Structure formats: C-alpha cells, structure tokens
C-alpha cells in the first residue's frame, strides 16, 4: 500500500489557518510597500525633501529589523495567534494614522506603527507553518509563504496608483486600513496556534533566561548559516523594488518608464514562480541548501557585473537576466529560515526566525543607504539627475555585501557539514550538541 502523501496527512484546518496567515502577511507586504508609488503625493502633501521622503522607508525598515528579535521572543512566549492579533491591529492603526496625517511628524509616527505591525506578521506565519505541517511539507509551504506574500507588493503598485489619483490620499489609505478589521475577524475565528490548542504559551522567562535562549540559538552554526544566507540573497531585489531599481533602469540604462515598470513587475513574477521550485529542491535535498544560496549569489554578481561593465546601455535581454537572477534571491533567502528551523528546538523557533530575518533587512538598509550616499557624492549640488557613471559606481556598493556574506555562508556551511555529515543533514537535522 502506498504511503499517503504528506499533503493528505495534513489536517484540513491547517490549510485554513495557513490561508488566513498568508492573507495577513500579503496585506502586510502591501502596507510595507504602499508608499512606493505615493512618493510624489507624499512630497506634495507634506512638502518634503528627497531625504525626508527616503526617511519614511529607512525608518520603517529599521523599526522592522529592530523588532525581529523582540517579536520572536514574544512569539515563543505568547504564541503566534496573540502576536499576530497585535500586529494586525498595529499596522492597521498605522495606515489609519497615515491616511489622516497632515504633518510630516504625524506621518513619520504612522510609518513607525506600520513597521512595528509589519514586524509582527512574517515570524508568526512561519511559526504557524511549523506547528501545523509535517517536516516534508514545511520547506515548501515556507517558500510559498515568502514568495506569495510578495504579491502584496503588486497590489501596492497599480491599484494603489489608481486609488491615489482617483480617490485621493485619505480615502486610499483609509481603504488600506479598512482591511484590518476583516483580517482580524478571520484571525480570531479560524487561527489556532496548533492542532492541540488555541494558544501555545511558552514559560515565563527572566531577562537572563531570554538572553540565554538567544545565545543558545546564535551558538548554533545552523542559525548563523541561516542569518548569512538571509543577509546575502534578497537585498538586491529589495533595493530594486523598494527604491533604486526604477531610477537606475530609466536614468542609467535608458529604458522608458513603462519598460522599467514592466521589469519591476517581472521581478515579483520571478519571485513568486521560483519559490515553489526552490522549496522543492530544499525540501528534498537539504544537504545542498547552502549550495542553492551560493549559486544564486554567483548569478547575481555575474549579471550585475555584466550590466555595469557593458559599454553604454545594457541590452534588454541582459537586464531581463539581471531581474531573473535578483528575483531568485528572494526565495533563496527563505533557505535561511529552513536551516534555522532544523538547527533549533521548536520552543526557540520564534526567536531563531527573528534573528535570521534581521539579516536580509539589515543588508537592504545598508545597500539602500550606501547607494544613495555614492549617488549624492557623484552628483554635484542637490540635483537628483544621477548620471550612468554615478549609478555604476553606486551599484558596486552591493559587491562587498555579497562577498562578505558569501564567505560567511561558506564558513558556516563547512562547520555544519564537517560536524554532522551528510546522513544527519539529509535526515532533517542540523542541530549541533
Ligand atoms: N526575503 C523575504 C521572503 C521572500 C521570499 N521571496 C521573496 N521574498 C523575507 O525574508 N520576508 C520577510 C518579510 O517579513 O517579508
């Protein structure tokens, strides 16, 4: 008799819980990127300079990255349902405040709330996945979660552009905030922390015990491998989608706004399409998880080098290759969470995910800021008419991030492989000691 598939062994409630969690994460990504097309409107509404506008994105990312470890500890203590409830309420209040803001400080405060609420979603959804699905399905569902959530960025593009122009700032962001009560109702009605109980609470821990738990997680070479995989793989795609991709493609590579916009949409399509493929590879070949991550980094370095070294404007086919390589970086970052999962016990899953998630967003902030600094250094005065030469120098900021991250990946990959051996890793564990 053939063994029932892992999917058939999964309780039907698992798919409902995951569906609600994924919806909340997708909307959180929408809120996160909802400023991407509102830059000009925000500049006019609050009378902003370019750096003040950029502060919205950087502050939101810093709050997000800075909250990952605290949120991970909260998830281990109070369970994902409780923390996700707080996240939905907080991010919705942030968008409500942004809709009604009439001054720059008010708008900044609202974006801080958006970053805070956003920080409480992804970790909770991954925790639900590890509680509701079996070990064979977890890598694939984790991948599909991370990739599918990026569809929220698509919803923040054309539909948000239409809403801002046709409905106006306040109505557009009030509608965005209005998704909160609907998601909250679904969360409270259908989501349980695990099949066994509505709430999976951890034991109250002193500050000393909390620090001990974080030290134990970080002491695992698999956690560090996961952190550096997440640090090295997604930042180029994040930088492209969140800020510098469109100006680079138009000002440096001479593309029309429409073609540049099409390539930015293509990157999200690549993210969503490559996720399940990488999820299958990771789930069936755990020994080669870091190999896939390193291969993605090599592909990004190669395509970026070809584009920046190309005499004059790079041909469209090469830019498409660049977008495909960078798009695969998003799903490749999910490998970091899977390595962290197999390297730690379940009661540390929240804090481990939080530690690893800091990596990608720390690298993204470094890349976004570094590129901006080089562009300003290479462009006289306060002009934002950046030259192709300025962009070539600025985009090279990514190289030290890739190289340092790749060295760290190789270093911890070798520690895990030498210590455990292939049989243990293929068996699904990379926990040492
Ligand atoms: N790198 C993303 C996940 C991803 C998967 N495919 C594209 N991106 C990530 O780590 N997300 C965390 C988050 O909170 O969005």
């Amino acid at each position: 008799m053939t063994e029932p598939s892992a999917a058939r062994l999964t309780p039907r409630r698992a798919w409902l819980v995951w569906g609600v969690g994924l919806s909340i994460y997708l909307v959180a990504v929408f809120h996160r990127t909802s400023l991407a097309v509102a830059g000009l409107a925000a500049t006019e509404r609050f009378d902003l300079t370019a750096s003040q506008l950029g502060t919205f994105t950087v502050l939101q990312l810093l709050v997000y990255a800075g909250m990952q470890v605290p949120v991970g500890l909260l998830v281990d203590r109070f369970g994902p349902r409780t923390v996700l409830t707080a996240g939905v309420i907080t991010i919705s209040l942030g968008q409500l405040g942004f809709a009604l803001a009439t001054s720059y400080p008010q708008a900044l405060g609202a974006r801080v709330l958006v970053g805070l609420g956003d920080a409480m979603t992804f970790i909770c959804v991954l925790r639900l996945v590890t509680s509701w699905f079996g070990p064979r399905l977890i890598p694939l569902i984790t991948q599909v979660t991370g990739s599918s959530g990026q569809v929220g960025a698509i919803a923040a593009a054309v539909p948000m552009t239409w809403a801002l122009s046709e409905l106006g700032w306040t109505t557009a962001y009030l509608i965005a905030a209005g998704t909160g009560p609907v998601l909250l109702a679904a969360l409270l009605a259908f989501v349980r922390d695990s099949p066994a109980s509505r709430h999976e609470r951890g034991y109250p821990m002193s500050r000393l015990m909390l620090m001990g738990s974080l030290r134990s997680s970080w002491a695992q070479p698999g956690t560090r491998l996961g952190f550096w995989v997440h640090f090295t793989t997604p930042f180029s795609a994040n930088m492209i989608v969140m800020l510098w991709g469109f100006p680079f493609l138009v000002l440096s590579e001479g593309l029309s706004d429409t073609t540049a916009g099409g390539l930015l949409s293509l990157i999200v399509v690549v993210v969503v399409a490559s996720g399940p493929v990488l999820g299958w590879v990771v789930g069936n070949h755990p020994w080669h998880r870091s190999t896939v991550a390193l291969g993605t980094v090599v592909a990004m370095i190669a395509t970026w080098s070809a584009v920046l070294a190309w005499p004059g404007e790079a041909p469209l086919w090469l830019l498409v290759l660049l977008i495909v390589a960078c798009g695969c970086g998003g799903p490749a970052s999910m490998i970091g969470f899977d390595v962290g999962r197999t390297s730690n016990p379940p009661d540390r899953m929240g804090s481990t995910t939080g530690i690893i998630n800091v990596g990608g967003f720390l690298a993204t902030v470094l890349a976004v800021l570094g590129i901006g600094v080089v562009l300003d250094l290479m462009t006289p005065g306060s002009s934002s008419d950046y030259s192709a030469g300025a962009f070539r120098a600025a985009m090279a900021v990514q190289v030290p991030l890739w190289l340092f991250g790749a060295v760290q990946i190789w270093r911890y990959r070798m520690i895990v492989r030498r210590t455990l051996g292939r049989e243990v890793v293929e068996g699904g564990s990379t926990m040492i000691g």
Side-chain angles (χ1 to χ4, degrees):
M1 184 178 92
T2 53
E3 287 293 314
S5 69
R8 287 194 56 197
L9 288 175
T10 301
R12 292 176 64 179
R13 182 67 175 270
W15 299 103
L16 176 60
V17 169
W18 176 64
V20 172
L22 178 59
S23 304
I24 292 172
Y25 172 51
L26 188 150
V27 171
V29 173
F30 164 81
H31 290 319
R32 177 190 307 172
T33 52
S34 62
L35 191 57
V37 296
L40 288 178
T43 302
E44 289 166 19
R45 182 181 176 88
F46 304 114
D47 188 23
L48 301 180
T49 63
S51 58
Q52 285 177 315
L53 179 64
T55 304
F56 279 132
T57 304
V58 173
L59 181 61
Q60 189 182 308
L61 277 176
L62 285 175
V63 168
Y64 175 93
M67 283 302 299
Q68 287 308 299
V69 173
V71 167
L73 290 170
L74 287 171
V75 172
D76 288 338
R77 173 67 183 86
F78 297 106
R81 186 178 188 270
T82 301
V83 178
L84 200 50
T85 300
V88 170
I89 294 170
T90 305
I91 202 169
S92 303
L93 289 176
Q95 288 287 62
L96 175 64
F98 202 55
L100 303 176
T102 54
S103 70
Y104 183 54
Q106 289 175 2
L108 270 184
R111 293 321 286 184
V112 167
L113 283 180
V114 170
L116 189 60
D118 183 16
M120 299 182 201
T121 57
F122 187 68
I123 294 176
C124 292
V125 179
L126 288 200
R127 188 71 184 85
L128 290 170
V129 170
T130 56
S131 297
W132 280 91
F133 292 90
R136 297 293 295 169
L137 269 181
I138 290 172
L140 179 60
I141 302 296
T142 299
Q143 269 292 353
V144 173
T145 302
S147 301
S148 306
Q150 309 316 307
V151 172
I154 295 181
V158 174
M160 194 61 182
T161 304
W162 176 85
L164 284 167
S165 63
E166 297 304 317
L167 305 178
W169 177 280
T170 300
T171 305
Y173 278 103
L174 281 177
I175 293 172
T179 59
V182 177
L183 293 171
L184 185 61
L187 169 61
L188 297 175
F190 302 119
V191 173
R192 299 163 56 91
D193 283 351
S194 73
S197 67
R198 173 177 293 184
H199 297 289
E200 292 282 349
R201 307 284 198 205
Y203 295 104
M205 290 201 279
S206 65
R207 183 189 301 265
L208 209 59
M209 293 167 72
L210 287 175
M211 294 311 292
S213 173
L214 289 174
R215 271 196 297 272
S216 301
S217 179
W218 186 244
Q220 283 292 334
T223 304
R224 299 188 188 196
L225 175 56
F227 175 89
W228 289 113
V229 165
H230 199 266
F231 177 93
T232 317
T233 48
F235 73 80
S236 193
N238 290 344
M239 172 278 292
I240 288 170
V241 171
M242 292 187 82
L243 193 58
W244 293 120
F246 190 86
F248 168 72
L249 292 171
V250 172
L251 297 177
S252 173
E253 301 308 314
L255 296 185
S256 68
D257 290 7
T258 307
T259 307
L263 287 183
L264 293 194
S265 300
L266 175 63
I267 202 168
V268 182
V269 172
V270 172
V271 160
V272 175
S274 59
V277 176
L278 266 67
W280 184 88
V281 171
V282 166
N284 289 280
H285 304 282
W287 181 255
H288 286 300
R289 287 176 292 187
S290 57
T291 310
V292 172
L294 287 170
T296 307
V297 173
V298 169
M300 288 189 284
I301 293 175
T303 48
W304 266 111
S305 301
V307 168
L308 298 181
W310 196 274
E313 297 169 356
L316 184 58
W317 64 266
L318 182 55
L319 294 174
V320 169
L321 277 182
L322 170 70
I323 291 294
V324 170
C326 293
C328 290
S333 72
M334 300 303 291
I335 293 170
F337 297 114
D338 197 57
V339 175
R341 174 184 64 84
T342 58
S343 304
N344 291 271
D347 63 355
R348 282 208 309 259
M349 205 45 60
S351 49
T352 298
T353 304
I355 290 171
I356 291 169
N357 208 19
V358 169
F361 290 86
L362 173 61
T364 300
V365 170
L366 292 174
V368 165
L369 285 177
I371 289 168
V373 165
V374 173
L375 283 174
D376 286 341
L377 289 174
M378 301 278 289
T379 308
S382 61
S383 160
S384 60
D385 189 15
Y386 306 122
S387 69
F391 267 115
R392 279 184 176 76
M395 289 305 173
V397 156
Q398 299 177 94
V399 175
L401 295 175
W402 280 318
L403 295 181
F404 183 69
V407 167
Q408 293 294 85
I409 292 172
W410 185 266
R411 177 181 166 205
Y412 288 107
R413 153 196 170 105
M414 296 315 293
I415 292 173
V416 171
R417 286 185 164 201
R418 285 188 185 126
T419 309
L420 296 175
R422 181 160 190 157
E423 191 175 340
V424 172
V425 175
E426 291 286 2
S429 171
T430 48
M431 197 182 308
I432 295 174

